[in-house]
């Protein structure tokens, strides 16, 4: 599976960005999708995940109510809508995927994902 993330950029605090991650190589609807981020000097952390059916979504507490993950299985793409951005959201954002059997299971640990995109930089200025 190949993943290509895009949509990052520089935005002022309170602004919005929409990240996209296009997948290719396998049947997209068989794969759970996740977004992670890594700030300088910090561990890569889970941001949001969506089940392969799209019926289940999960968010880190730090982004709940501000970020929304969604997927379009017909276009093999997952999105992360980020609103009310804060300077602490500044990081490189990575999309990740892995095959799962369950239609509703979403892993939170980065070690549970086998395939990763190249990352896209999000910078939020104060």
């Amino acid at each position: 599976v190949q993943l290509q993330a895009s949509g990052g950029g520089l935005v002022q605090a309170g602004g919005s960005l929409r990240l996209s991650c296009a997948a290719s190589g396998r049947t997209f609807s068989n794969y759970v999708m996740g977004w992670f981020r890594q700030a300088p000097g910090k561990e890569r952390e889970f941001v949001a995940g969506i089940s392969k059916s799209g019926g289940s979504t999960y968010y880190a507490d730090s982004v709940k109510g501000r970020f929304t993950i969604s997927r379009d299985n017909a276009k093999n793409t997952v999105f992360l809508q980020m609103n009310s951005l804060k300077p602490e959201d500044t990081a490189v954002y990575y999309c990740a995927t892995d095959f799962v059997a369950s239609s509703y299971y979403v892993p939170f640990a980065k070690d549970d994902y086998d395939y990763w995109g190249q990352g896209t930089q999000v910078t939020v200025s104060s």
Side-chain angles (χ1 to χ4, degrees):
V1 179
Q2 293 79 46
L3 301 175
Q4 181 71 39
S6 61
L10 173 63
V11 64
Q12 288 188 330
S16 298
L17 283 174
R18 189 191 197 205
L19 305 184
S20 299
C21 177
S24 62
R26 298 288 174 91
T27 304
F28 182 69
S29 59
N30 287 337
Y31 288 74
V32 66
M33 298 298 300
W35 285 98
F36 288 75
R37 67 186 181 187
Q38 188 166 16
K42 294 188 176 181
E43 293 286 322
R44 191 171 298 188
E45 63 176 1
F46 175 83
V47 174
I50 187 166
S51 61
K52 65 180 186 179
S53 69
S56 298
T57 56
Y58 296 90
Y59 299 92
D61 287 344
S62 58
V63 307
K64 278 181 184 176
R66 301 188 297 121
F67 290 12
T68 303
I69 188 171
S70 60
R71 66 189 295 161
D72 185 339
N73 285 349
K75 296 183 178 179
N76 291 359
T77 303
V78 64
F79 305 97
L80 186 68
Q81 178 66 44
M82 305 186 296
N83 298 329
S84 302
L85 283 161
K86 303 176 181 180
E88 50 264 43
D89 295 318
T90 295
V92 178
Y93 283 70
Y94 298 89
C95 57
T97 188
D98 202 10
F99 175 81
V100 295
S102 168
S103 295
Y104 298 100
Y105 174 62
V106 177
F108 299 161
K110 59 182 184 295
D111 290 344
D112 289 332
Y113 290 83
D114 283 344
Y115 305 97
W116 292 81
Q118 84 288 4
T120 184
Q121 176 71 46
V122 172
T123 303
V124 184
S125 63
S126 57

mmCIF file of all heavy atoms in Angstrom, residues 12-60:
data_model
loop_
_atom_site.group_PDB
_atom_site.id
_atom_site.type_symbol
_atom_site.label_atom_id
_atom_site.label_comp_id
_atom_site.label_asym_id
_atom_site.label_seq_id
_atom_site.Cartn_x
_atom_site.Cartn_y
_atom_site.Cartn_z
ATOM 1 N N GLN A 12 -2.624 30.665 10.704
ATOM 2 C CA GLN A 12 -2.668 31.364 11.983
ATOM 3 C C GLN A 12 -3.541 30.597 12.975
ATOM 4 O O GLN A 12 -4.441 29.839 12.588
ATOM 5 C CB GLN A 12 -3.216 32.769 11.801
ATOM 6 C CG GLN A 12 -2.266 33.719 11.101
ATOM 7 C CD GLN A 12 -2.773 35.155 11.113
ATOM 8 O OE1 GLN A 12 -3.971 35.395 11.128
ATOM 9 N NE2 GLN A 12 -1.849 36.111 11.099
ATOM 10 N N ALA A 13 -3.283 30.814 14.241
ATOM 11 C CA ALA A 13 -4.096 30.192 15.283
ATOM 12 C C ALA A 13 -5.566 30.540 15.058
ATOM 13 O O ALA A 13 -5.900 31.678 14.727
ATOM 14 C CB ALA A 13 -3.635 30.660 16.655
ATOM 15 N N GLY A 14 -6.408 29.537 15.233
ATOM 16 C CA GLY A 14 -7.831 29.715 14.982
ATOM 17 C C GLY A 14 -8.262 29.359 13.576
ATOM 18 O O GLY A 14 -9.457 29.264 13.296
ATOM 19 N N GLY A 15 -7.288 29.161 12.707
ATOM 20 C CA GLY A 15 -7.589 28.836 11.327
ATOM 21 C C GLY A 15 -7.850 27.362 11.106
ATOM 22 O O GLY A 15 -7.896 26.565 12.056
ATOM 23 N N SER A 16 -8.008 26.999 9.832
ATOM 24 C CA SER A 16 -8.352 25.626 9.462
ATOM 25 C C SER A 16 -7.461 25.128 8.338
ATOM 26 O O SER A 16 -6.967 25.910 7.521
ATOM 27 C CB SER A 16 -9.812 25.545 8.997
ATOM 28 O OG SER A 16 -10.706 25.912 10.022
ATOM 29 N N LEU A 17 -7.284 23.824 8.317
ATOM 30 C CA LEU A 17 -6.619 23.135 7.220
ATOM 31 C C LEU A 17 -7.317 21.798 7.005
ATOM 32 O O LEU A 17 -7.878 21.223 7.952
ATOM 33 C CB LEU A 17 -5.141 22.871 7.532
ATOM 34 C CG LEU A 17 -4.147 24.020 7.415
ATOM 35 C CD1 LEU A 17 -2.773 23.572 7.902
ATOM 36 C CD2 LEU A 17 -4.045 24.529 5.983
ATOM 37 N N ARG A 18 -7.234 21.306 5.787
ATOM 38 C CA ARG A 18 -7.775 19.983 5.484
ATOM 39 C C ARG A 18 -6.678 19.135 4.877
ATOM 40 O O ARG A 18 -6.156 19.457 3.800
ATOM 41 C CB ARG A 18 -8.943 20.079 4.504
ATOM 42 C CG ARG A 18 -9.690 18.765 4.322
ATOM 43 C CD ARG A 18 -10.641 18.840 3.157
ATOM 44 N NE ARG A 18 -11.637 17.784 3.169
ATOM 45 C CZ ARG A 18 -12.253 17.353 2.068
ATOM 46 N NH1 ARG A 18 -11.978 17.896 0.897
ATOM 47 N NH2 ARG A 18 -13.156 16.385 2.159
ATOM 48 N N LEU A 19 -6.310 18.085 5.562
ATOM 49 C CA LEU A 19 -5.316 17.152 5.059
ATOM 50 C C LEU A 19 -5.994 16.038 4.283
ATOM 51 O O LEU A 19 -7.095 15.613 4.627
ATOM 52 C CB LEU A 19 -4.510 16.550 6.212
ATOM 53 C CG LEU A 19 -3.827 17.523 7.169
ATOM 54 C CD1 LEU A 19 -2.987 16.747 8.178
ATOM 55 C CD2 LEU A 19 -2.988 18.539 6.430
ATOM 56 N N SER A 20 -5.306 15.572 3.257
ATOM 57 C CA SER A 20 -5.781 14.443 2.471
ATOM 58 C C SER A 20 -4.698 13.385 2.411
ATOM 59 O O SER A 20 -3.506 13.694 2.486
ATOM 60 C CB SER A 20 -6.123 14.881 1.040
ATOM 61 O OG SER A 20 -7.138 15.851 1.023
ATOM 62 N N CYS A 21 -5.119 12.152 2.280
ATOM 63 C CA CYS A 21 -4.176 11.048 2.133
ATOM 64 C C CYS A 21 -4.753 10.088 1.109
ATOM 65 O O CYS A 21 -5.793 9.469 1.350
ATOM 66 C CB CYS A 21 -3.958 10.350 3.471
ATOM 67 S SG CYS A 21 -2.865 8.915 3.386
ATOM 68 N N ALA A 22 -4.089 10.004 -0.026
ATOM 69 C CA ALA A 22 -4.532 9.133 -1.103
ATOM 70 C C ALA A 22 -3.797 7.806 -1.028
ATOM 71 O O ALA A 22 -2.570 7.775 -0.890
ATOM 72 C CB ALA A 22 -4.285 9.801 -2.447
ATOM 73 N N ALA A 23 -4.544 6.718 -1.125
ATOM 74 C CA ALA A 23 -3.968 5.381 -1.030
ATOM 75 C C ALA A 23 -4.032 4.670 -2.371
ATOM 76 O O ALA A 23 -4.951 4.885 -3.163
ATOM 77 C CB ALA A 23 -4.716 4.575 0.030
ATOM 78 N N SER A 24 -3.066 3.812 -2.600
ATOM 79 C CA SER A 24 -3.066 3.017 -3.814
ATOM 80 C C SER A 24 -2.401 1.684 -3.530
ATOM 81 O O SER A 24 -1.649 1.535 -2.567
ATOM 82 C CB SER A 24 -2.319 3.737 -4.941
ATOM 83 O OG SER A 24 -0.970 3.946 -4.590
ATOM 84 N N GLY A 25 -2.724 0.710 -4.345
ATOM 85 C CA GLY A 25 -2.041 -0.560 -4.261
ATOM 86 C C GLY A 25 -2.858 -1.712 -3.736
ATOM 87 O O GLY A 25 -2.553 -2.852 -4.029
ATOM 88 N N ARG A 26 -3.844 -1.445 -2.913
ATOM 89 C CA ARG A 26 -4.674 -2.515 -2.369
ATOM 90 C C ARG A 26 -6.125 -2.050 -2.320
ATOM 91 O O ARG A 26 -6.432 -0.916 -2.665
ATOM 92 C CB ARG A 26 -4.208 -2.887 -0.945
ATOM 93 C CG ARG A 26 -2.792 -3.430 -0.863
ATOM 94 C CD ARG A 26 -2.666 -4.821 -1.438
ATOM 95 N NE ARG A 26 -1.279 -5.279 -1.478
ATOM 96 C CZ ARG A 26 -0.677 -5.941 -0.519
ATOM 97 N NH1 ARG A 26 -1.342 -6.235 0.587
ATOM 98 N NH2 ARG A 26 0.573 -6.309 -0.637
ATOM 99 N N THR A 27 -7.007 -2.931 -1.891
ATOM 100 C CA THR A 27 -8.412 -2.572 -1.744
ATOM 101 C C THR A 27 -8.576 -1.682 -0.522
ATOM 102 O O THR A 27 -8.491 -2.145 0.617
ATOM 103 C CB THR A 27 -9.287 -3.824 -1.604
ATOM 104 O OG1 THR A 27 -9.068 -4.668 -2.736
ATOM 105 C CG2 THR A 27 -10.757 -3.431 -1.539
ATOM 106 N N PHE A 28 -8.788 -0.401 -0.774
ATOM 107 C CA PHE A 28 -8.780 0.608 0.279
ATOM 108 C C PHE A 28 -9.797 0.305 1.372
ATOM 109 O O PHE A 28 -9.529 0.508 2.560
ATOM 110 C CB PHE A 28 -9.070 1.965 -0.358
ATOM 111 C CG PHE A 28 -9.048 3.126 0.586
ATOM 112 C CD1 PHE A 28 -7.858 3.544 1.162
ATOM 113 C CD2 PHE A 28 -10.215 3.809 0.892
ATOM 114 C CE1 PHE A 28 -7.823 4.627 2.029
ATOM 115 C CE2 PHE A 28 -10.197 4.888 1.754
ATOM 116 C CZ PHE A 28 -9.000 5.304 2.325
ATOM 117 N N SER A 29 -10.949 -0.208 0.994
ATOM 118 C CA SER A 29 -12.015 -0.432 1.967
ATOM 119 C C SER A 29 -11.723 -1.574 2.937
ATOM 120 O O SER A 29 -12.487 -1.791 3.881
ATOM 121 C CB SER A 29 -13.334 -0.693 1.238
ATOM 122 O OG SER A 29 -13.209 -1.827 0.402
ATOM 123 N N ASN A 30 -10.636 -2.291 2.736
ATOM 124 C CA ASN A 30 -10.234 -3.340 3.678
ATOM 125 C C ASN A 30 -9.274 -2.845 4.752
ATOM 126 O O ASN A 30 -8.833 -3.630 5.596
ATOM 127 C CB ASN A 30 -9.548 -4.492 2.928
ATOM 128 C CG ASN A 30 -10.538 -5.332 2.139
ATOM 129 O OD1 ASN A 30 -11.719 -5.364 2.431
ATOM 130 N ND2 ASN A 30 -10.028 -6.011 1.119
ATOM 131 N N TYR A 31 -8.959 -1.555 4.712
ATOM 132 C CA TYR A 31 -7.903 -1.023 5.564
ATOM 133 C C TYR A 31 -8.419 0.069 6.502
ATOM 134 O O TYR A 31 -9.137 0.980 6.084
ATOM 135 C CB TYR A 31 -6.768 -0.454 4.709
ATOM 136 C CG TYR A 31 -5.951 -1.520 4.038
ATOM 137 C CD1 TYR A 31 -6.443 -2.222 2.949
ATOM 138 C CD2 TYR A 31 -4.693 -1.849 4.524
ATOM 139 C CE1 TYR A 31 -5.706 -3.226 2.355
ATOM 140 C CE2 TYR A 31 -3.934 -2.843 3.923
ATOM 141 C CZ TYR A 31 -4.449 -3.531 2.843
ATOM 142 O OH TYR A 31 -3.712 -4.522 2.267
ATOM 143 N N VAL A 32 -8.008 -0.048 7.762
ATOM 144 C CA VAL A 32 -8.252 1.021 8.711
ATOM 145 C C VAL A 32 -7.281 2.160 8.414
ATOM 146 O O VAL A 32 -6.172 1.933 7.920
ATOM 147 C CB VAL A 32 -8.077 0.510 10.153
ATOM 148 C CG1 VAL A 32 -6.632 0.127 10.430
ATOM 149 C CG2 VAL A 32 -8.556 1.544 11.162
ATOM 150 N N MET A 33 -7.685 3.387 8.678
ATOM 151 C CA MET A 33 -6.836 4.548 8.408
ATOM 152 C C MET A 33 -6.645 5.363 9.672
ATOM 153 O O MET A 33 -7.576 5.548 10.464
ATOM 154 C CB MET A 33 -7.483 5.439 7.338
ATOM 155 C CG MET A 33 -7.683 4.776 5.991
ATOM 156 S SD MET A 33 -6.144 4.269 5.197
ATOM 157 C CE MET A 33 -5.284 5.833 5.040
ATOM 158 N N GLY A 34 -5.432 5.866 9.845
ATOM 159 C CA GLY A 34 -5.140 6.697 11.000
ATOM 160 C C GLY A 34 -4.301 7.899 10.614
ATOM 161 O O GLY A 34 -3.592 7.890 9.603
ATOM 162 N N TRP A 35 -4.422 8.943 11.422
ATOM 163 C CA TRP A 35 -3.542 10.110 11.331
ATOM 164 C C TRP A 35 -2.736 10.198 12.621
ATOM 165 O O TRP A 35 -3.294 10.078 13.719
ATOM 166 C CB TRP A 35 -4.344 11.391 11.143
ATOM 167 C CG TRP A 35 -4.912 11.592 9.775
ATOM 168 C CD1 TRP A 35 -6.178 11.329 9.354
ATOM 169 C CD2 TRP A 35 -4.224 12.114 8.631
ATOM 170 N NE1 TRP A 35 -6.328 11.645 8.031
ATOM 171 C CE2 TRP A 35 -5.140 12.132 7.564
ATOM 172 C CE3 TRP A 35 -2.922 12.574 8.406
ATOM 173 C CZ2 TRP A 35 -4.804 12.592 6.275
ATOM 174 C CZ3 TRP A 35 -2.583 13.032 7.137
ATOM 175 C CH2 TRP A 35 -3.517 13.031 6.096
ATOM 176 N N PHE A 36 -1.463 10.422 12.468
ATOM 177 C CA PHE A 36 -0.548 10.617 13.590
ATOM 178 C C PHE A 36 0.190 11.928 13.356
ATOM 179 O O PHE A 36 0.194 12.462 12.250
ATOM 180 C CB PHE A 36 0.472 9.473 13.672
ATOM 181 C CG PHE A 36 -0.115 8.165 14.139
ATOM 182 C CD1 PHE A 36 -0.903 7.398 13.288
ATOM 183 C CD2 PHE A 36 0.119 7.694 15.415
ATOM 184 C CE1 PHE A 36 -1.450 6.191 13.704
ATOM 185 C CE2 PHE A 36 -0.411 6.485 15.845
ATOM 186 C CZ PHE A 36 -1.196 5.740 14.981
ATOM 187 N N ARG A 37 0.830 12.433 14.393
ATOM 188 C CA ARG A 37 1.645 13.620 14.236
ATOM 189 C C ARG A 37 2.875 13.516 15.121
ATOM 190 O O ARG A 37 2.872 12.827 16.129
ATOM 191 C CB ARG A 37 0.854 14.884 14.562
ATOM 192 C CG ARG A 37 0.452 15.031 16.026
ATOM 193 C CD ARG A 37 -0.457 16.241 16.190
ATOM 194 N NE ARG A 37 -0.857 16.439 17.591
ATOM 195 C CZ ARG A 37 -1.742 17.341 17.977
ATOM 196 N NH1 ARG A 37 -2.350 18.130 17.093
ATOM 197 N NH2 ARG A 37 -2.043 17.456 19.271
ATOM 198 N N GLN A 38 3.901 14.225 14.679
ATOM 199 C CA GLN A 38 5.146 14.233 15.434
ATOM 200 C C GLN A 38 5.720 15.638 15.439
ATOM 201 O O GLN A 38 6.069 16.170 14.379
ATOM 202 C CB GLN A 38 6.157 13.251 14.838
ATOM 203 C CG GLN A 38 7.390 13.069 15.692
ATOM 204 C CD GLN A 38 8.219 11.863 15.267
ATOM 205 O OE1 GLN A 38 8.057 11.328 14.172
ATOM 206 N NE2 GLN A 38 9.093 11.414 16.144
ATOM 207 N N ALA A 39 5.807 16.202 16.624
ATOM 208 C CA ALA A 39 6.415 17.514 16.813
ATOM 209 C C ALA A 39 7.905 17.324 17.098
ATOM 210 O O ALA A 39 8.319 16.246 17.559
ATOM 211 C CB ALA A 39 5.734 18.241 17.967
ATOM 212 N N PRO A 40 8.717 18.339 16.858
ATOM 213 C CA PRO A 40 10.158 18.212 17.105
ATOM 214 C C PRO A 40 10.448 17.790 18.542
ATOM 215 O O PRO A 40 9.919 18.367 19.491
ATOM 216 C CB PRO A 40 10.682 19.616 16.825
ATOM 217 C CG PRO A 40 9.701 20.189 15.872
ATOM 218 C CD PRO A 40 8.375 19.635 16.263
ATOM 219 N N GLY A 41 11.271 16.752 18.688
ATOM 220 C CA GLY A 41 11.669 16.296 20.000
ATOM 221 C C GLY A 41 10.638 15.468 20.742
ATOM 222 O O GLY A 41 10.851 15.111 21.902
ATOM 223 N N LYS A 42 9.538 15.159 20.060
ATOM 224 C CA LYS A 42 8.476 14.399 20.712
ATOM 225 C C LYS A 42 8.218 13.097 19.976
ATOM 226 O O LYS A 42 8.589 12.924 18.809
ATOM 227 C CB LYS A 42 7.189 15.221 20.784
ATOM 228 C CG LYS A 42 7.306 16.443 21.691
ATOM 229 C CD LYS A 42 5.951 17.104 21.871
ATOM 230 C CE LYS A 42 6.041 18.269 22.850
ATOM 231 N NZ LYS A 42 4.704 18.907 23.057
ATOM 232 N N GLU A 43 7.536 12.193 20.667
ATOM 233 C CA GLU A 43 7.155 10.932 20.066
ATOM 234 C C GLU A 43 6.012 11.152 19.076
ATOM 235 O O GLU A 43 5.215 12.084 19.196
ATOM 236 C CB GLU A 43 6.688 9.952 21.158
ATOM 237 C CG GLU A 43 7.770 9.499 22.112
ATOM 238 C CD GLU A 43 8.711 8.512 21.444
ATOM 239 O OE1 GLU A 43 8.229 7.677 20.659
ATOM 240 O OE2 GLU A 43 9.918 8.575 21.714
ATOM 241 N N ARG A 44 5.931 10.252 18.101
ATOM 242 C CA ARG A 44 4.800 10.275 17.176
ATOM 243 C C ARG A 44 3.557 9.848 17.946
ATOM 244 O O ARG A 44 3.571 8.831 18.643
ATOM 245 C CB ARG A 44 5.060 9.346 16.003
ATOM 246 C CG ARG A 44 4.070 9.501 14.863
ATOM 247 C CD ARG A 44 4.501 8.717 13.644
ATOM 248 N NE ARG A 44 5.783 9.190 13.120
ATOM 249 C CZ ARG A 44 6.302 8.781 11.973
ATOM 250 N NH1 ARG A 44 5.643 7.903 11.222
ATOM 251 N NH2 ARG A 44 7.473 9.234 11.565
ATOM 252 N N GLU A 45 2.487 10.623 17.819
ATOM 253 C CA GLU A 45 1.291 10.354 18.596
ATOM 254 C C GLU A 45 0.048 10.214 17.724
ATOM 255 O O GLU A 45 -0.039 10.825 16.643
ATOM 256 C CB GLU A 45 1.048 11.485 19.618
ATOM 257 C CG GLU A 45 0.782 12.836 19.010
ATOM 258 C CD GLU A 45 0.446 13.896 20.051
ATOM 259 O OE1 GLU A 45 0.438 13.580 21.257
ATOM 260 O OE2 GLU A 45 0.175 15.044 19.650
ATOM 261 N N PHE A 46 -0.880 9.418 18.217
ATOM 262 C CA PHE A 46 -2.149 9.205 17.534
ATOM 263 C C PHE A 46 -2.971 10.488 17.582
ATOM 264 O O PHE A 46 -3.065 11.141 18.617
ATOM 265 C CB PHE A 46 -2.896 8.070 18.231
ATOM 266 C CG PHE A 46 -4.279 7.806 17.707
ATOM 267 C CD1 PHE A 46 -4.475 7.023 16.587
ATOM 268 C CD2 PHE A 46 -5.381 8.333 18.354
ATOM 269 C CE1 PHE A 46 -5.752 6.766 16.112
ATOM 270 C CE2 PHE A 46 -6.664 8.079 17.900
ATOM 271 C CZ PHE A 46 -6.849 7.298 16.774
ATOM 272 N N VAL A 47 -3.581 10.813 16.437
ATOM 273 C CA VAL A 47 -4.450 11.980 16.352
ATOM 274 C C VAL A 47 -5.900 11.549 16.134
ATOM 275 O O VAL A 47 -6.796 11.962 16.861
ATOM 276 C CB VAL A 47 -4.010 12.913 15.208
ATOM 277 C CG1 VAL A 47 -4.998 14.045 15.024
ATOM 278 C CG2 VAL A 47 -2.605 13.444 15.454
ATOM 279 N N ALA A 48 -6.106 10.717 15.118
ATOM 280 C CA ALA A 48 -7.467 10.290 14.789
ATOM 281 C C ALA A 48 -7.401 9.005 13.972
ATOM 282 O O ALA A 48 -6.413 8.749 13.291
ATOM 283 C CB ALA A 48 -8.207 11.367 14.005
ATOM 284 N N GLY A 49 -8.474 8.218 14.056
ATOM 285 C CA GLY A 49 -8.545 6.992 13.274
ATOM 286 C C GLY A 49 -9.965 6.729 12.836
ATOM 287 O O GLY A 49 -10.925 7.175 13.480
ATOM 288 N N ILE A 50 -10.094 6.015 11.731
ATOM 289 C CA ILE A 50 -11.407 5.690 11.197
ATOM 290 C C ILE A 50 -11.394 4.245 10.730
ATOM 291 O O ILE A 50 -10.443 3.784 10.092
ATOM 292 C CB ILE A 50 -11.793 6.665 10.063
ATOM 293 C CG1 ILE A 50 -13.237 6.428 9.608
ATOM 294 C CG2 ILE A 50 -10.824 6.590 8.896
ATOM 295 C CD1 ILE A 50 -13.784 7.568 8.738
ATOM 296 N N SER A 51 -12.456 3.531 11.073
ATOM 297 C CA SER A 51 -12.538 2.125 10.715
ATOM 298 C C SER A 51 -12.678 1.965 9.202
ATOM 299 O O SER A 51 -12.970 2.926 8.486
ATOM 300 C CB SER A 51 -13.742 1.490 11.407
ATOM 301 O OG SER A 51 -14.937 2.117 10.993
ATOM 302 N N LYS A 52 -12.485 0.743 8.733
ATOM 303 C CA LYS A 52 -12.513 0.533 7.295
ATOM 304 C C LYS A 52 -13.896 0.778 6.718
ATOM 305 O O LYS A 52 -14.019 1.160 5.547
ATOM 306 C CB LYS A 52 -12.009 -0.862 6.944
ATOM 307 C CG LYS A 52 -12.863 -2.021 7.439
ATOM 308 C CD LYS A 52 -12.214 -3.317 6.986
ATOM 309 C CE LYS A 52 -13.090 -4.517 7.319
ATOM 310 N NZ LYS A 52 -12.475 -5.791 6.853
ATOM 311 N N SER A 53 -14.927 0.602 7.522
ATOM 312 C CA SER A 53 -16.285 0.882 7.065
ATOM 313 C C SER A 53 -16.628 2.366 7.157
ATOM 314 O O SER A 53 -17.602 2.826 6.566
ATOM 315 C CB SER A 53 -17.288 0.097 7.907
ATOM 316 O OG SER A 53 -17.334 0.611 9.225
ATOM 317 N N GLY A 54 -15.837 3.108 7.937
ATOM 318 C CA GLY A 54 -16.147 4.507 8.195
ATOM 319 C C GLY A 54 -17.135 4.689 9.328
ATOM 320 O O GLY A 54 -17.449 5.816 9.705
ATOM 321 N N GLY A 55 -17.598 3.581 9.900
ATOM 322 C CA GLY A 55 -18.623 3.664 10.927
ATOM 323 C C GLY A 55 -18.118 4.017 12.307
ATOM 324 O O GLY A 55 -18.914 4.385 13.183
ATOM 325 N N SER A 56 -16.810 3.907 12.517
ATOM 326 C CA SER A 56 -16.230 4.226 13.820
ATOM 327 C C SER A 56 -15.088 5.202 13.644
ATOM 328 O O SER A 56 -14.235 5.007 12.775
ATOM 329 C CB SER A 56 -15.698 2.955 14.504
ATOM 330 O OG SER A 56 -16.731 2.037 14.739
ATOM 331 N N THR A 57 -15.082 6.222 14.488
ATOM 332 C CA THR A 57 -13.995 7.189 14.484
ATOM 333 C C THR A 57 -13.534 7.422 15.922
ATOM 334 O O THR A 57 -14.325 7.338 16.862
ATOM 335 C CB THR A 57 -14.419 8.540 13.879
ATOM 336 O OG1 THR A 57 -15.561 9.040 14.595
ATOM 337 C CG2 THR A 57 -14.781 8.391 12.411
ATOM 338 N N TYR A 58 -12.253 7.700 16.057
ATOM 339 C CA TYR A 58 -11.664 7.941 17.371
ATOM 340 C C TYR A 58 -10.696 9.107 17.262
ATOM 341 O O TYR A 58 -10.052 9.302 16.239
ATOM 342 C CB TYR A 58 -10.940 6.689 17.870
ATOM 343 C CG TYR A 58 -11.860 5.518 18.088
ATOM 344 C CD1 TYR A 58 -12.109 4.612 17.056
ATOM 345 C CD2 TYR A 58 -12.508 5.330 19.302
ATOM 346 C CE1 TYR A 58 -12.976 3.544 17.239
ATOM 347 C CE2 TYR A 58 -13.370 4.267 19.493
ATOM 348 C CZ TYR A 58 -13.602 3.380 18.462
ATOM 349 O OH TYR A 58 -14.454 2.334 18.644
ATOM 350 N N TYR A 59 -10.599 9.850 18.377
ATOM 351 C CA TYR A 59 -9.761 11.040 18.398
ATOM 352 C C TYR A 59 -8.950 11.099 19.683
ATOM 353 O O TYR A 59 -9.402 10.673 20.745
ATOM 354 C CB TYR A 59 -10.622 12.296 18.300
ATOM 355 C CG TYR A 59 -11.436 12.379 17.034
ATOM 356 C CD1 TYR A 59 -12.736 11.875 16.977
ATOM 357 C CD2 TYR A 59 -10.908 12.945 15.882
ATOM 358 C CE1 TYR A 59 -13.482 11.925 15.825
ATOM 359 C CE2 TYR A 59 -11.647 13.012 14.709
ATOM 360 C CZ TYR A 59 -12.930 12.502 14.688
ATOM 361 O OH TYR A 59 -13.652 12.561 13.521
ATOM 362 N N ALA A 60 -7.774 11.677 19.573
ATOM 363 C CA ALA A 60 -7.021 12.014 20.772
ATOM 364 C C ALA A 60 -7.787 13.104 21.516
ATOM 365 O O ALA A 60 -8.456 13.947 20.904
ATOM 366 C CB ALA A 60 -5.626 12.511 20.393
#
